[in-house]
Amino acid sequence: MPEGHTIHRAARLQTKRFGGKTLRVWSPQGRFAQEASELDGKRLERVEAMGKHLLYRWRGAPTLHVHLGLFGRFRIGPDVEPSPNARVAWSSDTHLLALSGPTVCEFIDPDAERELAERLGPDPLAPQQDDAQRLAAALGRSTIPIGAAMLDQTVMAGVGNVYRAEILFLAGIDPSTPSKALARDDVEAIWKLTVEQLTLGERLGRIVTVDPEEVGVPGPNKVPRGERTYVYKRAGASCRRCGSGIRSTELGSRSIWWCPSCQKRRVA
DNA sequence: GCTGCATGATGAA
DNA sequence: TCATCCTGCAGCA
């Protein structure tokens, strides 16, 4: 379930679990066999996240670049069985990790890494001083609706299909609003909510955007399954805030959901 | 057992 | 805009 929060959490937890350790590395599926043999017996220094990308730093081996795409997932544990089509697996003396279904799993050289970093927009989980300005500039140049722009990783790096819908609900902005038509206050609200929501998701290990008070529980970790989002995948259901019917359409070649009454279209 | 879908992204046309 | 890559599992028979 990989949006940026999942990736940053993976970097943090995998650094803790495997950082500084010498690992046995192999490729159950075989498609990463050559590279795995280069990593086998090397020490993993740490794991870094950039938007939805992971970078594995090894002592004495090239950086490994992983992108989970839609299907990629890690299984980690003391007694994990790597699926036979795991692209890569490694083990320390106590734990095993298996990666299956990644869109990208390859060595990356410094030039390619620089290009990647330059291509990505501000990362809400690695905030910088000028993020809101950069976002405002990118949206000001954009010719597409905000609902589509939020999926563009050169605009913001880390938001995916769940968060784009939820953040626009929280911001009260109709997804079809042209990016250009957003006021400075709207852009700042979007950025603030994005940082808040992904930070919370990184901590929880899951996406919970609803206010716990609104569902009558003491904290975000107590929100029951099925009540964790305001609009995502809730077509036809009633808005948790106003009771209107949640609507859905295609935007940026993905489904999006919104509340026609809580979310207003801005005009240029 | 089979089908279709999923929190992603790219390259060709 | 479409086809393609990648895997697992819910929902159904």
Short mmCIF file of all heavy atoms in Angstrom, two decimals, chain A residues 29 31 71 73 83 85 101, chain C residues 2 5-10:
data_model
loop_
_atom_site.label_atom_id
_atom_site.label_comp_id
_atom_site.label_asym_id
_atom_site.label_seq_id
_atom_site.Cartn_x
_atom_site.Cartn_y
_atom_site.Cartn_z
N GLN A 29 13.45 -15.12 -7.23
CA GLN A 29 12.85 -15.14 -8.55
C GLN A 29 13.91 -15.24 -9.65
O GLN A 29 13.62 -15.71 -10.74
CB GLN A 29 12.06 -13.83 -8.72
CG GLN A 29 11.42 -13.59 -10.03
CD GLN A 29 11.17 -12.10 -10.22
OE1 GLN A 29 12.08 -11.29 -10.10
NE2 GLN A 29 9.94 -11.75 -10.51
N ARG A 31 15.46 -12.74 -11.24
CA ARG A 31 15.63 -11.56 -12.09
C ARG A 31 16.56 -10.51 -11.51
O ARG A 31 16.85 -9.53 -12.17
CB ARG A 31 14.27 -10.93 -12.39
CG ARG A 31 13.50 -11.67 -13.45
CD ARG A 31 12.15 -11.05 -13.72
NE ARG A 31 12.24 -9.64 -14.02
CZ ARG A 31 11.19 -8.84 -14.13
NH1 ARG A 31 9.98 -9.34 -13.95
NH2 ARG A 31 11.34 -7.58 -14.40
N PHE A 71 2.08 -2.53 -6.89
CA PHE A 71 1.98 -3.87 -6.33
C PHE A 71 3.09 -4.27 -5.39
O PHE A 71 2.99 -5.27 -4.69
CB PHE A 71 1.96 -4.91 -7.45
CG PHE A 71 1.01 -4.60 -8.55
CD1 PHE A 71 1.42 -4.62 -9.87
CD2 PHE A 71 -0.30 -4.29 -8.26
CE1 PHE A 71 0.52 -4.34 -10.88
CE2 PHE A 71 -1.20 -4.00 -9.27
CZ PHE A 71 -0.78 -4.02 -10.60
N ARG A 73 5.63 -4.95 -2.48
CA ARG A 73 5.49 -5.00 -1.03
C ARG A 73 6.67 -5.73 -0.39
O ARG A 73 7.30 -6.59 -0.99
CB ARG A 73 4.17 -5.64 -0.61
CG ARG A 73 4.05 -7.10 -0.92
CD ARG A 73 2.68 -7.64 -0.54
NE ARG A 73 2.51 -7.80 0.90
CZ ARG A 73 1.43 -8.33 1.47
NH1 ARG A 73 0.42 -8.71 0.73
NH2 ARG A 73 1.37 -8.47 2.78
N SER A 83 8.27 -15.37 -0.97
CA SER A 83 7.51 -15.96 -2.06
C SER A 83 8.50 -16.30 -3.18
O SER A 83 9.49 -15.62 -3.35
CB SER A 83 6.44 -14.98 -2.51
OG SER A 83 6.50 -14.77 -3.89
N ASN A 85 8.49 -15.73 -6.16
CA ASN A 85 8.74 -14.65 -7.10
C ASN A 85 9.19 -13.37 -6.42
O ASN A 85 9.08 -12.30 -6.99
CB ASN A 85 7.54 -14.41 -8.02
CG ASN A 85 6.25 -14.34 -7.25
OD1 ASN A 85 6.28 -14.14 -6.04
ND2 ASN A 85 5.14 -14.48 -7.93
N GLY A 101 7.23 -7.78 -6.42
CA GLY A 101 6.41 -6.90 -7.26
C GLY A 101 6.85 -5.47 -7.44
O GLY A 101 6.02 -4.63 -7.83
P DC C 2 -8.38 5.82 -24.30
OP1 DC C 2 -9.51 5.30 -25.07
OP2 DC C 2 -8.48 6.00 -22.84
"O5'" DC C 2 -7.10 4.93 -24.59
"C5'" DC C 2 -6.74 4.66 -25.94
"C4'" DC C 2 -5.52 3.76 -25.98
"O4'" DC C 2 -4.38 4.47 -25.45
"C3'" DC C 2 -5.67 2.48 -25.15
"O3'" DC C 2 -5.35 1.37 -25.96
"C2'" DC C 2 -4.66 2.65 -24.00
"C1'" DC C 2 -3.65 3.63 -24.58
N1 DC C 2 -2.99 4.49 -23.56
C2 DC C 2 -1.59 4.59 -23.54
O2 DC C 2 -0.94 3.94 -24.36
N3 DC C 2 -1.00 5.39 -22.61
C4 DC C 2 -1.75 6.08 -21.74
N4 DC C 2 -1.11 6.85 -20.86
C5 DC C 2 -3.17 5.99 -21.76
C6 DC C 2 -3.75 5.20 -22.66
P DC C 5 4.04 -6.44 -21.09
OP1 DC C 5 5.06 -7.14 -21.86
OP2 DC C 5 2.68 -7.02 -20.89
"O5'" DC C 5 4.63 -6.11 -19.65
"C5'" DC C 5 5.86 -5.39 -19.55
"C4'" DC C 5 6.01 -4.92 -18.13
"O4'" DC C 5 5.04 -3.89 -17.87
"C3'" DC C 5 5.76 -6.00 -17.08
"O3'" DC C 5 7.00 -6.45 -16.59
"C2'" DC C 5 4.96 -5.30 -15.99
"C1'" DC C 5 4.78 -3.87 -16.49
N1 DC C 5 3.41 -3.34 -16.28
C2 DC C 5 3.24 -2.16 -15.55
O2 DC C 5 4.22 -1.60 -15.07
N3 DC C 5 1.99 -1.67 -15.36
C4 DC C 5 0.95 -2.31 -15.90
N4 DC C 5 -0.26 -1.79 -15.70
C5 DC C 5 1.10 -3.50 -16.66
C6 DC C 5 2.34 -3.98 -16.82
P DC C 6 7.12 -7.92 -16.06
OP1 DC C 6 8.54 -8.24 -16.06
OP2 DC C 6 6.14 -8.78 -16.76
"O5'" DC C 6 6.61 -7.78 -14.56
"C5'" DC C 6 7.37 -7.04 -13.62
"C4'" DC C 6 6.50 -6.76 -12.43
"O4'" DC C 6 5.50 -5.80 -12.80
"C3'" DC C 6 5.68 -7.95 -11.95
"O3'" DC C 6 6.37 -8.62 -10.92
"C2'" DC C 6 4.40 -7.34 -11.40
"C1'" DC C 6 4.45 -5.90 -11.86
N1 DC C 6 3.18 -5.47 -12.48
C2 DC C 6 2.70 -4.20 -12.22
O2 DC C 6 3.36 -3.45 -11.50
N3 DC C 6 1.51 -3.81 -12.73
C4 DC C 6 0.82 -4.66 -13.50
N4 DC C 6 -0.34 -4.23 -13.98
C5 DC C 6 1.30 -5.96 -13.79
C6 DC C 6 2.47 -6.32 -13.28
P DT C 7 6.01 -10.16 -10.71
OP1 DT C 7 7.24 -10.75 -10.18
OP2 DT C 7 5.33 -10.71 -11.89
"O5'" DT C 7 4.94 -10.05 -9.55
"C5'" DT C 7 5.32 -9.59 -8.27
"C4'" DT C 7 4.11 -9.53 -7.39
"O4'" DT C 7 3.06 -8.80 -8.03
"C3'" DT C 7 3.53 -10.88 -7.00
"O3'" DT C 7 3.64 -10.97 -5.59
"C2'" DT C 7 2.07 -10.85 -7.46
"C1'" DT C 7 1.81 -9.35 -7.66
N1 DT C 7 0.86 -9.00 -8.73
C2 DT C 7 -0.22 -8.19 -8.44
O2 DT C 7 -0.45 -7.77 -7.32
N3 DT C 7 -1.03 -7.90 -9.49
C4 DT C 7 -0.88 -8.31 -10.80
O4 DT C 7 -1.68 -7.98 -11.66
C5 DT C 7 0.27 -9.15 -11.05
C7 DT C 7 0.53 -9.67 -12.42
C6 DT C 7 1.08 -9.46 -10.02
P DG C 8 3.14 -12.17 -4.79
OP1 DG C 8 3.99 -12.28 -3.61
OP2 DG C 8 2.92 -13.31 -5.70
"O5'" DG C 8 1.72 -11.63 -4.29
"C5'" DG C 8 1.71 -10.51 -3.44
"C4'" DG C 8 0.29 -10.23 -3.00
"O4'" DG C 8 -0.50 -9.82 -4.12
"C3'" DG C 8 -0.43 -11.43 -2.41
"O3'" DG C 8 -1.25 -10.93 -1.39
"C2'" DG C 8 -1.27 -11.95 -3.58
"C1'" DG C 8 -1.65 -10.64 -4.22
N9 DG C 8 -2.01 -10.71 -5.64
C8 DG C 8 -1.45 -11.50 -6.63
N7 DG C 8 -1.98 -11.29 -7.80
C5 DG C 8 -2.93 -10.30 -7.58
C6 DG C 8 -3.82 -9.67 -8.48
O6 DG C 8 -3.93 -9.85 -9.70
N1 DG C 8 -4.62 -8.72 -7.86
C2 DG C 8 -4.55 -8.43 -6.52
N2 DG C 8 -5.39 -7.50 -6.07
N3 DG C 8 -3.73 -9.02 -5.66
C4 DG C 8 -2.95 -9.94 -6.26
P DC C 9 -1.77 -11.84 -0.19
OP1 DC C 9 -1.00 -11.42 0.99
OP2 DC C 9 -1.79 -13.24 -0.64
"O5'" DC C 9 -3.28 -11.36 0.00
"C5'" DC C 9 -3.68 -10.03 -0.36
"C4'" DC C 9 -5.09 -10.07 -0.88
"O4'" DC C 9 -5.09 -10.18 -2.32
"C3'" DC C 9 -5.92 -11.28 -0.39
"O3'" DC C 9 -7.25 -10.87 -0.26
"C2'" DC C 9 -5.81 -12.23 -1.56
"C1'" DC C 9 -5.99 -11.21 -2.67
N1 DC C 9 -5.69 -11.69 -4.02
C2 DC C 9 -6.38 -11.11 -5.11
O2 DC C 9 -7.20 -10.23 -4.87
N3 DC C 9 -6.13 -11.55 -6.36
C4 DC C 9 -5.23 -12.51 -6.55
N4 DC C 9 -5.01 -12.91 -7.81
C5 DC C 9 -4.51 -13.11 -5.48
C6 DC C 9 -4.78 -12.68 -4.24
P DA C 10 -7.95 -10.92 1.22
OP1 DA C 10 -7.20 -10.08 2.17
OP2 DA C 10 -8.20 -12.34 1.51
"O5'" DA C 10 -9.34 -10.20 0.90
"C5'" DA C 10 -9.30 -8.89 0.35
"C4'" DA C 10 -10.48 -8.69 -0.57
"O4'" DA C 10 -10.22 -9.29 -1.88
"C3'" DA C 10 -11.79 -9.29 -0.08
"O3'" DA C 10 -12.81 -8.40 -0.46
"C2'" DA C 10 -11.86 -10.64 -0.82
"C1'" DA C 10 -11.19 -10.30 -2.14
N9 DA C 10 -10.44 -11.38 -2.79
C8 DA C 10 -9.59 -12.28 -2.20
N7 DA C 10 -9.02 -13.11 -3.04
C5 DA C 10 -9.55 -12.72 -4.27
C6 DA C 10 -9.34 -13.20 -5.58
N6 DA C 10 -8.53 -14.22 -5.88
N1 DA C 10 -10.03 -12.60 -6.58
C2 DA C 10 -10.83 -11.58 -6.28
N3 DA C 10 -11.11 -11.03 -5.09
C4 DA C 10 -10.42 -11.67 -4.13
#
